[in-house]
Amino acid sequence: MQLVVQEDRFDIGRETEGFIAGLAGAGAVVTFIGLVRDNGGRLSAMEIEHYPGMTERAIAAIMEEAKARWSLADAMVIHRHGRLGPDEPIMMVATAAIHRADAFAAAEFLMDYLKSRAPFWKKEIGADGTEWVAAKDSDEAALTRW
Amino acid sequence: MQLVVQEDRFDIGRETEGFIAGLAGAGAVVTFIGLVRDNGGRLSAMEIEHYPGMTERAIAAIMEEAKARWSLADAMVIHRHGRLGPDEPIMMVATAAIHRADAFAAAEFLMDYLKSRAPFWKKEIGADGTEWVAAKDSDEAALTRW
Amino acid sequence: MKIDVLYFAWVRERIGLPREKVETQAETVADLIAELCAREERYAYAFADLPALRVALDQELADFAAPLAGVREVAFFPPMTGG
Amino acid sequence: MKIDVLYFAWVRERIGLPREKVETQAETVADLIAELCAREERYAYAFADLPALRVALDQELADFAAPLAGVREVAFFPPMTGG
């Protein structure tokens, strides 16, 4: 289990390969990568604020929950904060299991909980000014299925 | 949309990065990677037979169906055939969308259909002899949810 | 008519060849299977458990009752195990 | 008692600072909010729409009725938008 909260950009390919290299015998790997959308060129940057300390605690708790619910060989969460440019990776989740259904379910679960229960706040900085990204009702609703 | 059926090993990190580099504005990427399991050291190789021609047609049809069902920015399928060693990647699916739910659903759909509707057959070569991998009822059952 | 008949995985191994041209008047897939089984033991062995087999006509999945009129390529194989 | 009070995102921007030490006898989160709102306009502005706010006590999500006894760190912020 690997959990990283960092400001620096990360290398998606290298992280994926490193995750896979560390596996022993699990045949199914699912990854999710979240990227900064440029909203048709109107976004110049995204600023991500977080709550140091609580962020790590909250993500660790979510990962423990995923480990308890599904048969996972491994899981990884990388989430950035600070100022990010268009098309940069924001975060990445990876899960590995013997059966693909476990890897898929755990990755979706981790994403749903990261969206609404890990203390990050996104601010979009664009030509038209800055705006805090509003939480979506659909993200809160997504939690009810687990 | 990219569809590759090949004998050569592929580079998971590079394929993931190439897929992402080709996206315009989609913030959610899901990948699935299937690896040869070594079954606790008992497997020395996996041989994958396929039906050239039908393989490409079947996968293209599955990808078209995914594109029709979900709002996807892009999708990619790479599947190998021939002789593979333990821990080598067998195949990879990638999907990209604006909303993560679309990317996850399409990736799972592609996997479920690739498992049971694309003409590949796996044979395990191990210390105890060789054996064709049997199709699982659970894989056939997985199709009924879509 | 002359049809290309293809075999994959353990069907191929049991019959002992990957493909052959078959001269047949069979009207359906089931008729073709019956003709092949009557030929030689190895065909009867390969087709012994029909529910464990799948068939594709011109590279599209079909069923055993499907007509062969106009079909150029018939393939027999076990359930697929891709992914 | 002295409590560390933290503010994030637009709550931080409205109040104008990321954290402060608050001397308070408030028994619950709601009491603490009432005390802060009585202090200055910028607090009343930040806490104007409570359903749009979340609170964490010692880095665990809580609700506004939660007691403050033993709590060292209270954080106020809008719904999270990670991922």
Side-chain angles (χ1 to χ4, degrees), chain B:
Chain B
M1 303 275 276
Q2 197 197 332
L3 154 54
V4 183
V5 180
Q6 66 181 35
E7 192 155 357
D8 292 343
R9 186 164 179 160
F10 62 89
D11 183 316
I12 296 165
R14 201 158 55 199
E15 294 298 340
T16 305
E17 300 214 322
F19 179 74
I20 287 173
L23 298 174
V29 173
V30 171
T31 74
F32 178 92
I33 298 129
L35 306 161
V36 177
R37 291 179 224 158
D38 73 353
N39 292 341
R42 291 198 312 280
L43 185 126
S44 61
M46 174 174 275
E47 253 181 35
I48 303 180
E49 186 170 333
H50 79 123
Y51 183 172
M54 180 171 171
T55 306
E56 291 79 1
R57 286 170 66 127
I59 299 176
I62 295 164
M63 293 177 83
E64 282 303 318
E65 177 74 21
K67 240 176 65 180
R69 286 184 182 222
W70 293 281
S71 183
L72 296 180
D74 202 2
M76 175 176 81
V77 172
I78 303 173
H79 204 304
R80 294 173 67 197
H81 58 91
R83 195 178 182 92
L84 283 66
D87 301 325
E88 283 190 34
I90 300 170
M91 51 82 62
M92 175 173 174
V93 156
T95 56
I98 290 180
H99 302 293
R100 73 183 185 285
D102 287 331
F104 270 115
E108 266 200 279
F109 171 87
L110 288 171
M111 283 309 305
D112 282 355
Y113 273 83
L114 283 171
K115 277 270 166 196
S116 307
R117 292 293 181 268
F120 292 100
W121 300 275
K122 294 194 186 106
K123 190 184 207 171
E124 291 179 343
I125 295 157
D128 320 334
T130 68
E131 192 168 9
W132 289 100
V133 173
K136 280 185 281 182
D137 289 344
S138 59
D139 284 331
E140 192 64 32
L143 298 183
T144 61
R145 62 177 160 156
W146 301 109

Side-chain angles (χ1 to χ4, degrees), chain A residues 49-119:
Chain A
E49 186 170 332
H50 80 124
Y51 182 172
M54 181 172 169
T55 305
E56 291 78 0
R57 285 170 65 128
I59 298 176
I62 295 164
M63 293 177 83
E64 282 302 319
E65 178 74 19
K67 238 175 66 179
R69 286 184 182 223
W70 292 280
S71 184
L72 296 180
D74 202 3
M76 174 176 83
V77 172
I78 303 172
H79 204 303
R80 294 173 68 196
H81 58 91
R83 194 178 182 94
L84 283 66
D87 301 324
E88 285 190 33
I90 299 171
M91 51 83 62
M92 174 174 175
V93 157
T95 56
I98 290 181
H99 302 294
R100 73 183 185 285
D102 287 332
F104 269 115
E108 265 201 281
F109 171 88
L110 287 171
M111 283 309 305
D112 282 355
Y113 273 83
L114 282 170
K115 277 272 166 193
S116 308
R117 292 293 181 270

Side-chain angles (χ1 to χ4, degrees), chain D residues 13-78:
Chain D
E13 291 178 337
R14 288 183 184 187
I15 292 173
L17 78 181
R19 64 189 301 155
E20 60 185 321
K21 279 209 184 298
V22 174
E23 176 65 48
T24 178
Q25 299 307 318
E27 288 186 6
T28 66
V29 174
D31 293 344
L32 174 63
I33 292 173
E35 274 185 22
L36 291 169
C37 288
R39 263 204 209 170
E40 277 182 65
E41 185 55 38
R42 58 198 169 107
Y43 291 96
Y45 175 45
F47 291 108
D49 180 17
L50 280 190
L53 287 183
R54 300 290 178 269
V55 62
L57 302 183
D58 289 332
Q59 306 188 354
E60 298 279 355
L61 283 173
D63 56 54
F64 298 122
L68 289 179
V71 168
R72 287 165 304 174
E73 188 172 296
V74 178
F76 294 105
F77 42 79

